[in-house]
């Protein structure tokens, strides 16, 4: 049986069955947070780690001015 890739996924992924949880807004979005969650598919409990990536965008605030 192939190992399920449950690391660094866009959605919380069950390491037992690979089910991707769509209701991730219920979980903490704090980086490094660990919590036990129950898979909605196989109903096994697994530990979910939150990994956040911060990116930055600089926007000009005088974009309407003629160059
Ligand atoms: Zn599962």
């Amino acid at each position: 049986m192939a190992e399920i890739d449950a690391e660094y996924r866009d959605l919380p992924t069950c390491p037992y069955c690979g089910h991707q949880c769509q209701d991730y807004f219920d979980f903490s979005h704090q980086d490094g947070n660990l919590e036990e969650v129950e898979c909605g598919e196989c109903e096994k409990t697994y530990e979910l780690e939150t990994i956040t990536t911060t990116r930055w965008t600089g926007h000009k605030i005088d974009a309407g001015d003629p160059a």
Side-chain angles (χ1 to χ4, degrees), residues 15-45:
Y16 296 109
C17 73
H19 174 72
Q20 292 188 316
C21 179
Q22 305 290 335
D23 298 324
Y24 56 88
F25 289 111
D26 291 344
F27 304 143
S28 172
H29 287 204
Q30 184 178 342
D31 189 39
N33 183 72
L34 287 171
E35 65 182 295
E36 291 190 358
V37 302
E38 186 180 294
C39 175
E41 186 69 27
C42 69
E43 298 184 346
K44 284 183 178 174
T45 300

